[in-house]
Amino acid sequence: MITPDQINEYKQKGFVVLHDILTSVEIARMEADLESFLSRQSDGKERHEYLEIERDPGGQETGTFRRINHPHRILETVAEFSRSQKLIDIMTPILGPNVRLHNSKINLKLPSGAPVEWHQDWAFYPHTNDDFLTVGVLLDDASDFNGGMLCIPGSHRGAVYDHRNSITGNFCHAIESPESKLNLANAEGLFARKGSLTLHHVRTLHGSGPNHSNSARRLLLIGYAAADAWPLLGVSRYDEFERAMVSGKSTVFPRMEALPLTVPFPISRFGDQIFESQRELQKSHFVSA
Ligand SMILES: O=C(O)CCC(=O)C(=O)O
């Protein structure tokens, strides 16, 4: 359930927090599913396909899990929630009746876990229009101390920034020296109890600090687009693209809007591994844990 005031807040600021949306039973099921998946991952295919493992400064895997990619494909509870009526009722007043799931991930942010540098998701995957948002499901309480997400109000209606590393020249999933370009003093924390949801627009500037606490700050993120927002970089598997519809009807007539854009090229040597390519920045904006 989303109220007209919350929809208005999302439209004005480019993000909103919806407090206490999942029940404790729903959260406990999702946590159990996640923990059971992680405990099975000492080896095997899933490990490489779905798990990102932290690397030390020399590039060696530390063995610590950092992120689960595409959890809606492997965790039943996430698959269920990602298509639930509860979530569709929250998204459709904003995106319209026809909605497609674009991506999902769980950032585990374990104690001392790395920050996520300032960026706009729009730079990673530009579409023909920006009726596109990401739902965050707080699997732990989020605060400034444990690296909860920060967003800059109104930035979804502003510029689209360069996300290339000035040394390597490659796309780096982050805005270099953001303090010199953005008014970070305006940033607001999307801090709330576990079971709350956050929504942020695809152009909203956001990031999050390191985890200074001694427990994880797990955040499930699921991106959704209006069905007529088509990826400008193309659709590689049309059957999968069709199956990703979660509400209403798909279309082969994209809606094109004149919007500021950038494209994620030249590709980082780490591909789409955001944490590794952000680590190539000369300087982190956040103070490490
Ligand atoms: O985990 C976070 O705090 C933010 C994650 C994020 O923005 C991303 O993974 O693109």
Side-chain angles (χ1 to χ4, degrees):
M1 165 74 180
I2 187 164
T3 66
D5 282 353
Q6 288 169 326
I7 295 171
N8 210 25
E9 184 176 344
Y10 171 84
K11 288 189 174 160
Q12 294 302 315
K13 295 207 298 197
F15 57 90
V16 67
V17 179
L18 309 179
H19 293 276
D20 305 324
I21 299 293
L22 272 78
T23 63
S24 50
V25 172
E26 284 171 323
I27 279 286
R29 276 190 66 225
M30 211 178 268
E31 280 185 290
D33 204 5
L34 170 61
E35 290 312 320
S36 137
F37 172 76
L38 290 175
S39 66
R40 295 195 304 270
Q41 298 312 311
S42 55
D43 204 354
K45 173 170 166 282
E46 287 179 327
R47 178 182 169 116
H48 288 105
E49 208 172 323
Y50 295 108
L51 268 174
E52 249 183 69
I53 298 167
E54 214 147 63
R55 289 175 187 274
D56 64 23
Q60 295 304 308
E61 286 188 353
T62 63
T64 304
F65 301 144
R66 172 161 59 199
R67 169 183 271 190
I68 298 169
N69 289 312
H70 324 301
H72 68 285
R73 296 190 193 148
I74 41 172
L75 301 183
E76 198 186 320
T77 52
V78 174
E80 243 173 53
F81 181 69
S82 69
R83 292 178 173 270
S84 64
Q85 199 56 48
K86 192 188 249 189
L87 196 48
I88 288 165
D89 288 346
I90 288 172
M91 291 187 298
T92 48
I94 295 174
L95 296 177
N98 307 313
V99 179
R100 171 181 284 117
L101 189 157
H102 177 268
N103 66 75
S104 76
K105 60 206 166 195
I106 298 174
N107 286 340
L108 297 168
K109 206 177 265 195
L110 297 178
S112 304
V116 178
E117 305 293 336
W118 288 98
H119 67 276
Q120 292 167 298
D121 299 337
W122 187 238
F124 305 1
Y125 31 75
H127 280 60
T128 57
N129 68 67
D130 66 355
D131 282 331
F132 189 138
L133 59 78
T134 295
V135 177
V137 182
L138 274 62
L139 300 176
D140 291 294
D141 295 353
S143 66
D144 201 21
F145 191 59
N146 71 1
M149 247 179 65
L150 303 164
C151 287
I152 303 196
S155 52
H156 63 310
R157 292 183 175 157
V160 171
Y161 290 85
D162 193 345
H163 285 61
R164 285 172 301 169
N165 181 321
S166 60
I167 307 286
T168 66
N170 291 337
F171 188 73
C172 68
H173 297 86
I175 299 167
E176 213 174 45
S177 308
E179 54 290 335
S180 64
K181 299 168 194 147
L182 316 172
N183 191 355
L184 297 175
N186 283 344
E188 287 182 25
L190 278 55
F191 305 149
R193 276 186 293 276
K194 77 196 269 182
S196 300
L197 298 189
T198 61
L199 308 183
H200 70 268
H201 186 272
V202 70
R203 282 169 59 195
T204 298
L205 281 153
H206 63 285
S208 64
N211 184 354
H212 296 281
S213 80
N214 51 20
S215 52
R217 189 244 51 184
R218 298 163 303 176
L219 177 66
L220 162 65
L221 294 159
I222 318 176
Y224 295 94
D228 62 5
W230 272 58
L232 291 175
L233 303 183
V235 171
S236 52
R237 292 277 313 268
Y238 183 68
D239 55 338
E240 275 179 14
F241 192 62
E242 280 292 279
R243 278 201 300 274
M245 287 296 297
V246 297
S247 164
K249 289 203 289 255
S250 69
T251 177
V252 289
F253 296 95
R255 175 167 45 93
M256 191 76 173
E257 283 185 9
L259 293 169
L261 290 170
T262 182
V263 286
F265 292 97
I267 294 174
S268 153
R269 68 190 173 104
F270 301 107
D272 59 6
Q273 289 194 33
I274 176 171
F275 291 100
E276 293 307 317
S277 68
Q278 288 194 345
R279 237 180 24 186
E280 283 202 312
L281 287 172
Q282 289 304 293
K283 186 172 150 284
S284 165
H285 169 73
F286 296 97
V287 179
S288 57

